[in-house]
Amino acid sequence: MGSTALTAQQETRLRELVTECKDVPGALLQVLEKAQEACGYLPLEALALIADGLAIPLARVAGAAGFYPFFSGEKCGRYVIRMCRSAPCHVNGAAATLRALEDALRIKVGETTPDGRFTLQAYDCLGLCDRAPAVMVNDTVFGPVFSGDVKEFLTGFE
Ligand code: FES
């Protein structure tokens, strides 16, 4: 997990989230999800604040954040592109789509464009196999996205 300090505004928002969610069943995942929305990622300071607020061990919070691939300890771009690379998407051209995304964005999987706009990630099944090759951008689902579609696809996020 990263170690960049939170802004005062982010810290206030995290405290609000903990207060809003602490009596809700499954509070930890909800808070992590909303905290990532608020901060763009989950630095160690955010995890510590959440652990403290929910009165649960930091190791458990860090474990949950590390277990689910949608949570990130690194600062991501404004648009996080998640490309599926599992078999059903693979046979429909996911590898070519991923290469086209890397070429168009001029970054590799796991990297963020220098302007901070896009982060490119590759995942196992996104649960969208009927849309293979499937892509998510932040919380929005797309697919099928073929390699030849990539240039036009990206213009939607300029
Ligand atoms: S295999 Fe790609 S979304 Fe399931």
Side-chain angles (χ1 to χ4, degrees), residues 84-90 123-134:
C84 175
R85 59 177 171 198
S86 288
C89 283
H90 184 77
Y123 284 96
D124 296 332
C125 188
L126 296 169
L128 306 165
C129 318
D130 57 327
R131 307 184 72 153

Side-chain angles (χ1 to χ4, degrees), residues 8-9 21 35 52 55 68 70 84 87-89 94 101 118 121 124 147 152:
Q9 194 182 14
C21 299
D52 193 42
Y68 294 97
F70 278 28
C84 175
C89 283
L101 284 165
F118 293 103
Q121 298 174 340
D124 296 332
S147 57
E152 200 187 323

Side-chain angles (χ1 to χ4, degrees), residues 40-109:
Y41 71 123
L42 294 173
L44 187 59
E45 288 85 347
L47 301 183
L49 193 150
I50 291 166
D52 193 42
L54 295 179
I56 53 180
L58 175 58
R60 204 177 125 210
V61 177
F67 180 77
Y68 294 97
F70 278 28
F71 296 130
S72 175
E74 302 298 326
K75 205 164 197 163
C76 291
R78 185 148 48 101
Y79 299 109
V80 179
I81 301 176
R82 299 181 174 103
M83 173 86 223
C84 175
R85 59 177 171 198
S86 288
C89 283
H90 184 77
V91 297
N92 277 319
T97 302
L98 193 55
R99 258 197 318 276
L101 284 165
E102 286 181 330
D103 290 348
L105 297 172
R106 295 190 184 144
I107 56 173
K108 295 287 176 203
V109 169

